[in-house]
């Protein structure tokens, strides 16, 4: 059986492709490179990582999204063999079309009946986008009952707290869907002047941490910051026990 990781969030620019890339690197270091798919009809950021070999799923028919384009994705996932992980990165523009497709075709049930495990990953971010990302979490939890959720907490844009001081563990959504929340992944939030600048450069270049750490042309302390941050990120993913 395969383990399928769907990265979904209706709010754009919150780090979905970042989470997909981090999860892919983690899984690769844990055993083997997962099979990767990019369904974003606007920005194929995930597929921009040459190391991943992500397959782009074409869902466009002219200027519109054709949901039948997702059929090719389902066929590919259904045929995956044992002990394989797959990471599917979905863009904000196709969040509703893919969600509707999965629901109306009962696609998750089909994949589970064929022996696969399915996880839904979503991103919660601080700052102004917090309410929108919480809406995305609610939509996934309410529509896909029974599918375990992995929540990635990204505080790059601000603290994930409400105006009354409540943190994520105290949010209404967390309490309501606590039986569905399989794991939380805290993305390390370090000094933006050092770690932040280096990481932005790395992510913009679509390079993996292993590629950067092996690059002797990079400054010593830049590579040290990459090593430190990736160690923290890997420890956060270790706690999910998804491998």
């Amino acid at each position: 059986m395969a383990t399928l990781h769907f990265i979904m969030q209706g709010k754009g620019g919150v780090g979905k492709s970042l989470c997909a890339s981090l999860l892919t690197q983690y899984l690769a270091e844990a055993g083997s490179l997962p099979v990767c798919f990019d369904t974003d009809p606007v920005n194929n950021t995930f597929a921009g990582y040459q190391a991943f070999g992500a397959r782009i799923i074409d869902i466009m028919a002219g200027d519109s999204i054709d949901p039948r384009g997702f059929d090719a994705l389902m066929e590919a996932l259904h045929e995956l063999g044992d002990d394989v992980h797959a990471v599917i990165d979905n863009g904000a523009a196709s969040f509703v079309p893919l969600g509707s497709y999965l629901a109306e075709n009962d696609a998750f049930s089909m994949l589970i009946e064929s022996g696969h495990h399915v996880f839904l990953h979503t991103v919660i971010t601080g700052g102004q986008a917090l309410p929108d990302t919480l809406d995305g979490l609610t939509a996934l939890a309410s529509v896909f009952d029974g599918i375990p959720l992995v929540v990635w907490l990204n505080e790059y844009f601000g603290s994930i707290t409400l105006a009354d001081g409540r943190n994520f563990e105290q949010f209404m959504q967390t309490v309501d869907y606590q039986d569905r929340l399989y794991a939380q992944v805290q993305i390390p939030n370090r000094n933006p002047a050092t770690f932040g600048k280096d990481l932005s450069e790395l992510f913009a270049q679509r390079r993996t941490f292993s590629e950067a750490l092996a690059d002797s042309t990079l400054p010593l302390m830049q590579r040290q910051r990459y090593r430190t941050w990736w160690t923290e990120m890997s420890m956060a993913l270790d706690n999910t026990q998804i491998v």
Side-chain angles (χ1 to χ4, degrees):
M1 64 186 68
T3 303
L4 316 177
H5 304 272
F6 286 79
I7 317 293
M8 299 181 67
Q9 172 55 259
K11 179 65 177 175
V14 297
K16 291 185 297 298
S17 296
L18 170 63
C19 294
S21 71
L22 296 174
L23 178 61
T24 299
Q25 293 175 70
Y26 175 78
L27 292 170
E29 290 188 3
S32 61
L33 181 68
V35 182
C36 300
F37 300 90
D38 191 333
T39 69
D40 192 331
V42 180
N43 298 303
N44 297 128
T45 302
F46 189 42
Y49 284 84
Q50 293 186 1
F52 300 160
R55 173 182 170 183
I56 297 175
I57 301 297
D58 185 9
I59 59 172
M60 298 302 295
D63 295 329
S64 302
I65 293 176
D66 179 4
R68 290 178 64 88
F70 293 119
D71 286 354
L73 173 64
M74 294 301 114
E75 290 278 354
L77 295 176
H78 183 266
E79 296 301 320
L80 290 177
D82 293 346
D83 300 322
V84 174
H85 285 265
V87 178
I88 304 97
D89 185 28
N90 184 58
S94 52
F95 175 75
V96 171
L98 177 57
S100 298
Y101 173 93
L102 292 170
E104 71 181 12
N105 289 283
D106 203 12
F108 284 154
S109 292
M110 177 199 70
L111 293 170
I112 292 170
E113 287 170 4
S114 66
H116 299 329
H117 294 301
V118 177
F119 287 96
L120 276 171
H121 297 249
T122 195
V123 187
I124 302 297
T125 190
Q128 294 182 343
L130 176 58
D132 291 333
T133 55
L134 288 174
D135 286 345
L137 170 60
T138 299
L140 292 173
S142 59
V143 172
F144 301 110
D145 186 29
I147 305 299
L149 289 158
V150 179
V151 177
W152 295 65
L153 302 177
N154 182 6
E155 295 190 309
Y156 178 81
F157 300 103
S159 175
I160 301 177
T161 55
L162 298 179
D164 59 11
R166 284 181 291 162
N167 58 26
F168 181 74
E169 287 72 18
Q170 300 167 315
F171 287 1
M172 176 184 68
Q173 292 85 351
T174 309
V175 174
D176 288 348
Y177 301 114
Q178 59 182 327
D179 60 327
R180 303 278 309 288
L181 297 181
Y182 179 84
Q184 296 177 34
V185 182
Q186 181 71 56
I187 298 177
N189 189 28
R190 290 294 204 107
N191 188 338
T194 52
F195 284 84
K197 184 176 181 180
D198 292 339
L199 290 167
S200 294
E201 180 180 310
L202 181 72
F203 299 150
Q205 294 173 348
R206 310 290 188 260
R207 299 185 75 190
T208 66
F209 282 91
S210 61
E211 289 172 334
L213 292 174
D215 186 352
S216 60
T217 66
L218 292 177
L220 173 65
M221 292 312 298
Q222 184 173 350
R223 282 181 286 153
Q224 174 61 13
R225 285 190 285 272
Y226 286 150
R227 183 178 293 106
T228 300
W229 194 91
W230 180 241
T231 298
E232 290 185 15
M233 187 71 250
S234 297
M235 290 176 63
L237 285 165
D238 284 342
N239 292 332
T240 66
Q241 299 182 337
I242 58 175
V243 177

